[in-house]
Amino acid sequence: MRKSLTFFLSGVILAVAASTAVAGERVLEFKLVTKPIDLKVIEAANVEGQTVVSGKFFGVAVFNDGRIGVKEFVNASDLLKGSGPFFGYSTYTFEEGSITARYTGSAKDGKSTGEYTILSGTGAYANATGTGTIESAPNPFKGVNLLNIKLVVKTPGS
């Protein structure tokens, strides 16, 4: 009986250790350069400077160590003279898998901030959840956005 209990507990410990080895939390931080690829801007009637903007965008993520990823996303915003709320859905694709997330945020005085909610993932990020932040970065380029992104990715069991 004692040997059976020891064997059973050893099995349980091994199973827990194996599930935790696959599970975990990763923090991904990178610069993101985005560009609209299909943009629609609609001006509101009788409200000076009010626009509703929606479209598809593409982006390239660049990590400090040189790794890269790509981002495809849709975005919608409700802006009064360039300031206001925005939201969208993103899929980041990295070498080890992808992450899909919803984000919300706001733009004011040419700067953007926002938050991600991770909805799912594939590969190393299978069934991921988590959160993240978006913050605009100083941008010397015309026609593109430059952002600082931080994703806190949790995979099952963490």
Side-chain angles (χ1 to χ4, degrees), residues 58-89:
F58 181 80
V60 176
V62 180
F63 291 87
N64 286 339
D65 66 5
R67 290 178 299 138
I68 61 169
V70 294
K71 176 184 178 180
E72 293 184 71
F73 64 111
V74 293
N75 184 82
S77 57
D78 181 9
L79 305 174
L80 178 59
K81 298 179 183 174
S83 295
F86 60 82
F87 75 95
Y89 293 87

Side-chain angles (χ1 to χ4, degrees), residues 11-31:
V12 170
I13 291 169
L14 184 59
V16 169
S19 69
T20 357
V22 202
E25 182 176 289
R26 287 188 188 177
V27 177
L28 305 176
E29 293 186 79
F30 50 87
K31 293 267 191 230

Side-chain angles (χ1 to χ4, degrees), residues 30 58-61 63 68-72 90-100 122 125 151:
F30 50 87
F58 181 80
V60 176
F63 291 87
I68 61 169
V70 294
K71 176 184 178 180
E72 293 184 71
S90 304
T91 296
Y92 284 99
T93 303
F94 304 108
E95 192 172 311
E96 64 275 11
S98 68
I99 296 170
T100 297
T122 66
Y125 308 111
L151 299 175

Side-chain angles (χ1 to χ4, degrees), residues 15 19-20 31 51 54 66 76 96 105-107 122 126 133 137 139-140 142 151 155 158:
S19 69
T20 357
K31 293 267 191 230
T51 57
S54 66
E96 64 275 11
S106 63
T122 66
T133 57
N139 184 2
K142 298 278 185 216
L151 299 175
T155 51
S158 59

Side-chain angles (χ1 to χ4, degrees), residues 113-138:
T113 59
E115 296 180 349
Y116 280 103
T117 300
I118 297 173
L119 304 173
S120 65
T122 66
Y125 308 111
N127 302 310
T129 59
T131 59
T133 57
I134 304 165
E135 184 177 290
S136 56

